């Protein structure tokens, strides 16, 4: 009888706390590279990010999503702030887009392990600047 009395509270604790939907989300794994942004209010996300050094101190990171569409970020390998990203290229619906007007960037982390930052703005088609898309909520992490 005593074993049953001890077992009952233990079971209530285990089952009562095992599926609490009000618990806060765990923070994202800091060891995973990702890129995420919205194109005309549609979110594009990838955790398949690779990089190469395209020039001295310039890292070229590529994240592919939706088949052949991607985001390519050229960023200095050191420093933080708004001038560290050299450019961003977006391939959307098989068309290439480059930064246009109201383009903003910020690098918040740039150390030996990772580069993290944000971007947004109007991007223009590389062969016809009159064709534009709006990029919002751009965030990324590149693991070195």
């Amino acid at each position: 009888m005593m074993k049953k009395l001890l077992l009952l509270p233990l079971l209530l604790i285990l089952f009562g706390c095992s599926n609490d939907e009000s618990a806060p989300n765990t923070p994202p794994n800091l060891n995973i590279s990702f890129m995420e942004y919205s194109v005309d209010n549609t979110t594009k996300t990838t955790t398949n990010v690779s990089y190469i050094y395209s020039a001295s101190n310039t890292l070229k990171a590529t994240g592919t999503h939706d088949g052949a569409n991607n985001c390519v970020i050229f960023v200095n390998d050191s420093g933080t702030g708004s001038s560290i990203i050299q450019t961003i290229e977006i391939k959307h619906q098989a068309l290439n887009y480059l930064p246009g007007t109201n383009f903003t960037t910020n690098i918040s982390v740039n150390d030996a392990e990772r580069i993290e930052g944000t971007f947004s703005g109007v991007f223009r088609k590389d062969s016809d600047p009159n064709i534009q898309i709006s990029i919002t909520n751009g965030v990324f992490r590149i693991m070195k």
Side-chain angles (χ1 to χ4, degrees):
M1 179 71 171
M2 186 64 147
K3 288 181 185 179
K4 289 181 182 178
L5 287 176
L6 290 175
L7 186 58
L8 182 60
L10 182 59
L11 288 173
L12 288 173
I13 290 170
L14 288 174
F15 289 111
C17 296
S18 65
N19 198 10
D20 184 5
E21 291 182 23
S22 64
N25 294 332
T26 55
N29 185 339
L30 289 179
N31 297 320
I32 295 176
S33 295
F34 72 92
M35 292 181 182
E36 180 176 297
Y37 55 93
S38 294
V39 179
D40 299 325
N41 297 318
T42 301
T43 301
K44 305 294 181 182
T45 304
T46 183
T47 56
N48 182 18
V49 178
S50 61
Y51 74 89
I52 61 169
Y53 281 92
S54 64
S56 178
N57 297 326
T58 300
L59 190 133
K60 175 186 174 185
T62 303
T64 303
H65 60 84
D66 301 333
N69 294 315
N70 62 25
C71 177
V72 180
I73 299 174
F74 292 86
V75 61
N76 290 343
D77 192 26
S78 62
T80 58
S82 61
S83 63
I84 302 303
I85 292 179
Q86 296 173 357
T87 193
I88 296 178
E89 300 170 0
I90 302 283
K91 188 170 193 175
H92 178 66
Q93 296 179 346
L95 300 175
N96 293 319
Y97 292 87
L98 300 170
T101 59
N102 300 323
F103 178 67
T104 60
T105 64
N106 186 47
I107 298 296
S108 57
V109 176
N110 196 347
D111 58 27
E113 295 177 2
R114 69 185 191 272
I115 300 174
E116 293 184 15
T118 60
F119 62 96
S120 64
V122 174
F123 282 63
R124 58 175 175 72
K125 184 178 171 195
D126 63 351
S127 61
D128 184 354
N130 294 320
I131 298 175
Q132 300 178 344
I133 58 174
S134 176
I135 301 293
T136 57
N137 304 319
V139 294
F140 65 91
R141 179 185 305 129
I142 304 163
M143 300 305 297
K144 296 180 184 178

